[in-house]
């Protein structure tokens, strides 16, 4: 005998919600339930529907959760309600039930509407490590009057189904669900224990006509009133909650099309007064949802208030498979005369076992009006009536008689006539089977089996027809999903088809297409997510993968996101570089390395002239440089390095620890201060390096190649990073202070500016003859060029606009800016080097050699000028007076000259195949 354990929760008081526990033996104990703040509880409960949906792989929604919020909410509810006194009484009730050979039925009467809305079916007992709703029957028992006694019913149990799919609602696979319900009840129908009929239409009027009584018509078979009507209403369709009216609704078809939302109160009014109707099964979403202030505002609650003895409603969305398992098990249990609460518990258990890991078993909610009769709504007599075949139309020659409502009942006929009718119906089913008319085939074979279960191979044919019917429904749903670009649903349906029947139509081809599109759609969604989260590099990687898969990567939205991601990365790199150079400048300032500070700040101002206090710091560093000039009284040779050939040019690394050397035998070298060869870059077969320059960070260096290319190399490994080709021999190279751009000058009579990262040409500047040298100002805003056309010119480095031009009497071979950008130095084949005002073009200084001057360089403090000449000398001059301070001699023409970053050393490169390093202060580098 089953034992009731009743729990009643009252309205909230000062210390919490009062609880009364009642056991079957008359025991009663009070308690208090304390819960977290209601807003926190509702926030957690709001996550449960998504978690339930996510646990089903076949519901048409994205999986967005897991079991954690469900279990956490269930634990909170169990601990609050049944810990302490409640736990002890529940254990005692279980022991009593076990002694009586029964089980405990947990009856909840939750009066506060804000609590009645919570999913108590998910209460989780951490001690037993399980959900209470899977372990014992759980009934919600609203506080209503008029308990109803069990109805005596002579089998079959009569179930009235109704399908509503208004044309303006989301498409509903109602026919498939209708068919699944038939399949679930087929055996019970065949045994005569259940009759299944359907409402003829989809409107409220059709429902009223199906359940209404006619006083002029006696009850069939002389039964007592109430025995000839329907016992169960099973609704399939859309449900919802009308926030304005604060009540649940069912979406029926309007009589003129569209949707007629039938309110919970209106439905209760339609069904009221039908004593045989004892149970409503509402397979519609949110049919169990109520207003926070009125527990009877749900569809289920309204039916209970109007007298419906029991309602099985769905509080969340449920998948087709779970709904089928619930219906099959539930009605089987009712037909076995089990109490309805036990039937629901068995249905929950079946849903959980048949679909491991699912949480959908918590979706059905059972409301019972009366606890009398131990949960029996029907008193089924032992003698079953004839089996009723649920058919939508009678076969023309089969002796069928319309039954009540929409269903048809098979009545007895002479065996010979019956055999002939079955033969004809079997043949009709066979014809439908071979022509893929699956619905007709299923109905034909089910009707045959309902009368004679062993007729020929009807069972096997029915199985085949059901499979075909299911495959057809899946294929239709799949093609519909493909048309709607719902790739997840399409893949799911097509995978089921292919697994069942690999050669079914073009399912395999469609599946491959849907999988490709699903990955594409997923990539698109992930790109949107990454873009929103600011993961720019990931956006570019994902977009490239998408581009490789489909042309969809070219759509405006994605192009905009890719462009935005690139701009964001460039901005981040720019900001990082600025911050790095600024930090270096501060370190140099703190250490008194004034020239190094000027160089670092020049890099900053080249990118952002107004960056923080870079201008003021530059002025300070230059002032300090003016106060601590480098005295040049002698030159002491520190190093002589034997190059592989003529040394055309030499350059210091920004930290002054390495020298880059351009040689004429396809080679550029990097050596340290001791002459150790660190890196060798191999140019083209016929190449010759004419010039060399380090990037501002010292990580790369560039070479000018006589065979029409300029190349950028990794300064640590000698690996080529970039190559550009202006179309003629390249004679000069210079890095922009930001290290991202490279200037070249060459035989094509142009100077050009290139993007180091991509090799793209950014700017082209024309001369009328060869361009031998190029140089950027320290702020990166100007570019100077030296040309065979006897001129040196200054250009806007961004636009290419000419700002200044000065002339010599012969080819200008080289050009250099002072560190402050105020002066311009030029070297010429006219045997002179000159210093000019970089803003006005006024000549400030001229120094003379015996032969052509090939190179010119300012010292970092701007006080000295170094020149390299074909007269076999390199000389150092006072940049203000033109006085010669120092002369260094080679055995052949000197082609390159460079000051170290601290201005205390000088490097020279010569046709005598040597590179020499000199100390300008007698070897004292401090």
């Amino acid at each position: 005998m089953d034992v009731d354990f009743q729990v009643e929760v009252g309205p909230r008081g000062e210390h919490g919600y009062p609880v009364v526990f009642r056991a079957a033996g008359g025991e009663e104990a009070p308690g208090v339930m304390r819960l977290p703040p209601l807003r926190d509880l509702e926030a957690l409960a709001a996550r449960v529907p998504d978690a339930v949906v996510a646990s089903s792989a076949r519901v048409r929604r994205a999986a967005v959760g897991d079991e954690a919020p469900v279990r956490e909410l269930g634990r909170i509810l169990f601990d609050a309600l049944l810990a302490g006194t409640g736990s002890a009484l529940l254990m005692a009730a279980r022991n009593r039930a076990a002694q009586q050979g029964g089980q405990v039925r947990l009856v909840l009467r939750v009066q506060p509407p804000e609590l009645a809305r919570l999913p108590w079916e998910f209460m989780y007992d951490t001690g037993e490590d399980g959900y209470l709703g899977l372990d014992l029957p759980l009934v919600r028992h609203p506080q209503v009057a008029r308990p109803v006694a069990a109805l005596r019913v002579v089998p079959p149990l009569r179930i009235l189904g109704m399908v509503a799919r208004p044309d303006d609602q989301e498409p509903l696979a109602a026919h498939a669900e209708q068919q699944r319900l038939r399949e679930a009840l087929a055996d019970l129908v065949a045994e005569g224990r259940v009759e299944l009929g359907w409402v003829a239409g989809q409107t409220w009027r059709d429902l009223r006509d199906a359940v209404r009584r006619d006083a002029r018509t006696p009850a069939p078979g002389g039964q007592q009133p109430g025995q000839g009507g329907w016992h169960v209403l099973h609704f399939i369709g859309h449900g919802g909650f009308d926030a304005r009216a604060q009540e649940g609704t069912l979406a029926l078809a309007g009589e003129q099309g569209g949707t007629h939302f039938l309110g919970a109160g209106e439905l209760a009014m339609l069904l009221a007064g039908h004593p045989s109707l004892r149970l409503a099964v509402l397979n519609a979403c949110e049919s169990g949802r109520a207003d926070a202030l009125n527990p009877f505002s749900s569809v289920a609650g309204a039916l209970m208030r109007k007298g419906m003895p029991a309602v099985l409603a769905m509080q969340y969305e449920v998948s087709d498979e779970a709904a089928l398992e619930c219906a099959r098990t539930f009605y089987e249990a009712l037909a076995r005369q089990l109490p309805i609460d036990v039937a629901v518990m068995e249905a929950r258990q079946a849903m959980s076992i048949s679909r491991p890991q699912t949480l959908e078993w918590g979706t059905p909610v059972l409301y019972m009006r009366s606890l009398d009769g131990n949960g029996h709504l029907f008193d089924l007599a032992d003698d079953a009536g004839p089996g009723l075949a649920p058919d939508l139309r009678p076969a023309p020659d089969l002796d069928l008689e319309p039954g009540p409502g929409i269903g048809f009942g098979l009545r007895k006929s002479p065996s010979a006539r019956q055999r002939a009718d079955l033969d004809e119906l079997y043949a009709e089913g066979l014809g439908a089977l071979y022509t893929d008319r699956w619905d007709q085939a299923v109905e034909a074979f089910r009707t045959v089996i309902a009368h004679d279960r062993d007729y020929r191979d009807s069972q096997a044919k029915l199985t085949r027809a059901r499979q075909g019917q299911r495959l057809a429904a899946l294929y239709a749903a799949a093609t519909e999903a493909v048309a709607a670009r719902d790739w997840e649903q399409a893949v799911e349906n097509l995978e089921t088809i292919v697994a069942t029947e690999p050669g079914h139509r073009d399912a395999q081809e469609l599946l491959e297409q849907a999988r490709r599109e699903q990955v594409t759609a997923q990539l698109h969604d992930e790109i949107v997510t990454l873009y929103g989260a600011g993961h720019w590099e990931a956006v570019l990687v994902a977009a490239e993968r998408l581009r490789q898969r489909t042309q969809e990567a070219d759509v405006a939205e994605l192009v905009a996101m890719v462009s935005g991601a690139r701009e964001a990365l460039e901005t981040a790199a720019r900001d990082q570089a600025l911050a790095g150079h600024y930090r270096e400048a501060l370190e140099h300032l703190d250490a008194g390395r004034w020239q190094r500070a000027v160089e670092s700040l020049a890099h900053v101002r080249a990118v952002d002239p107004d960056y923080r206090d870079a201008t003021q710091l530059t002025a300070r560093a230059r002032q300090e440089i003016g106060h601590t000039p480098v005295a040049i009284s002698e030159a002491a040779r520190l190093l002589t390095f034997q190059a592989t050939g003529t040394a055309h040019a030499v350059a210091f690394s920004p930290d002054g620890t390495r020298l880059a050397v351009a040689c004429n035998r396809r080679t550029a070298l990097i050596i340290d201060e001791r002459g150790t060869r660190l890196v060798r870059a191999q140019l083209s077969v016929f190449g010759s390096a004419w010039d060399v320059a380090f990037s501002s960070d010292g990580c790369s260096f560039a070479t000018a190649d006589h065979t029409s290319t300029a190349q950028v190399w990794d300064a640590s490994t000698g690996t080529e990073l970039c190559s550009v080709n202006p179309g003629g021999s390249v004679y000069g190279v210079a890095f922009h202070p930001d290290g991202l751009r490279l200037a070249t000058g060459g035989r094509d009579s142009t100077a050009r500016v290139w993007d180091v990262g991509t090799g793209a040409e950014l700017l082209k500047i024309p001369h009328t003859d060869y361009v031998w040298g190029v140089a950027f100002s320290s702020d990166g805003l100007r570019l100077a060029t030296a040309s065979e056309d006897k001129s040196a010119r200054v250009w806007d480095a961004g636009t290419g606009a000419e700002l200044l031009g000065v002339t010599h009497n012969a080819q200008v071979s080289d050009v250099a800016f002072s560190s402050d950008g105020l002066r311009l130095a030029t070297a010429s084949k006219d045997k002179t080097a000159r210093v000019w005002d970089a803003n006005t073009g006024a000549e400030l200084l001229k120094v003379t050699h015996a032969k052509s001057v090939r190179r010119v360089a300012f010292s970092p403090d701007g006080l000295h000028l170094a020149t390299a000449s074909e007269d076999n000398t390199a000389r150092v001059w006072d940049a203000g007076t033109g006085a010669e301070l120092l002369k260094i001699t080679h055995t052949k023409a000197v082609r390159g000259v460079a000051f170290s970053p601290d201005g205390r050393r000088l490097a020279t490169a010569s046709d005598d195949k040597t590179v020499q390093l000199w100390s300008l202060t007698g070897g004292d580098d401090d």
Side-chain angles (χ1 to χ4, degrees), residues 180-181 183-185 188 321 323-333:
R180 290 189 183 97
L181 184 59
E183 293 173 5
L185 302 178
L188 296 174
E321 288 77 3
L324 172 61
E325 192 61 54
C326 178
R328 176 190 295 121
T329 306
F330 176 70
Y331 286 122
E332 284 177 351

Side-chain angles (χ1 to χ4, degrees), residues 734-891:
F735 271 103
H736 189 277
D738 64 9
L740 303 177
R741 287 170 279 178
L742 181 73
T744 62
R747 191 182 183 91
D748 67 342
S749 303
T750 68
R752 307 184 190 222
V753 179
W754 312 83
D755 185 305
V756 173
T758 65
E761 181 180 306
L762 304 177
L763 187 65
K764 180 178 178 181
I765 297 171
H767 270 267
T768 59
D769 213 331
Y770 301 173
V771 177
W772 289 98
V774 289
F776 281 104
S777 60
S778 60
D779 59 9
L781 301 179
R782 292 169 292 169
L783 176 67
T785 56
S787 174
E788 184 79 22
D789 64 9
K790 303 180 184 180
S791 73
R793 301 175 188 271
V794 178
W795 315 83
D796 186 300
T799 67
E802 184 175 341
L803 304 177
L804 182 70
V806 296
T807 60
H808 277 257
N809 298 323
Q811 161 194 315
V812 182
S813 305
D814 196 21
V815 65
F817 279 102
S818 61
S819 60
D820 59 9
L822 300 178
R823 290 169 293 166
L824 184 72
T826 55
S828 174
K829 203 170 184 179
D830 67 3
K831 305 178 185 180
T832 69
R834 309 188 190 206
V835 177
W836 315 81
D837 186 303
N839 293 317
T840 67
E843 184 177 311
L844 304 177
L845 181 72
K846 181 171 74 172
V847 296
T848 305
H849 275 263
K851 291 185 178 181
S852 298
V853 181
R854 305 296 307 201
R855 298 279 178 179
V856 65
F858 274 107
S859 63
D861 58 11
L863 300 178
H864 305 110
L865 186 71
T867 55
S869 172
E870 291 184 2
D871 65 4
N872 301 349
T873 68
R875 305 182 189 225
V876 179
W877 315 82
D878 186 303
T881 67
E884 182 180 315
L885 303 177
L886 192 66
K887 182 172 73 172
I888 295 170
T889 303
H890 279 259
T891 60

Side-chain angles (χ1 to χ4, degrees), residues 87-100:
S87 177
L89 290 176
L90 177 59
M91 181 64 69
R94 281 178 161 172
N95 291 336
R96 185 180 297 109
Q99 293 171 0
Q100 298 176 4

Side-chain angles (χ1 to χ4, degrees), residues 280-362:
V281 178
L282 305 177
N283 193 357
C285 298
E286 297 189 312
S287 52
R289 178 184 171 185
D291 169 42
L293 301 177
N294 181 7
F296 294 103
S297 59
S298 69
V299 178
L303 292 177
M304 295 294 293
R305 171 175 279 179
K306 289 293 185 178
M308 183 69 68
V311 179
L312 181 60
M314 303 297 167
Q315 58 182 334
Y316 304 122
E317 192 168 352
V318 65
S319 67
D320 292 341
E321 288 77 3
L324 172 61
E325 192 61 54
C326 178
R328 176 190 295 121
T329 306
F330 176 70
Y331 286 122
E332 284 177 351
L334 283 187
R336 297 199 316 271
Q337 301 190 49
L338 290 180
I340 186 172
D341 52 294
V342 176
V344 173
M345 183 191 69
E346 289 194 359
R348 289 190 183 121
Q349 292 173 344
M351 293 166 74
S352 176
I353 295 171
S354 65
R355 296 176 58 76
Q357 308 304 320
T358 188
L359 296 170
E360 293 179 287
W361 58 265

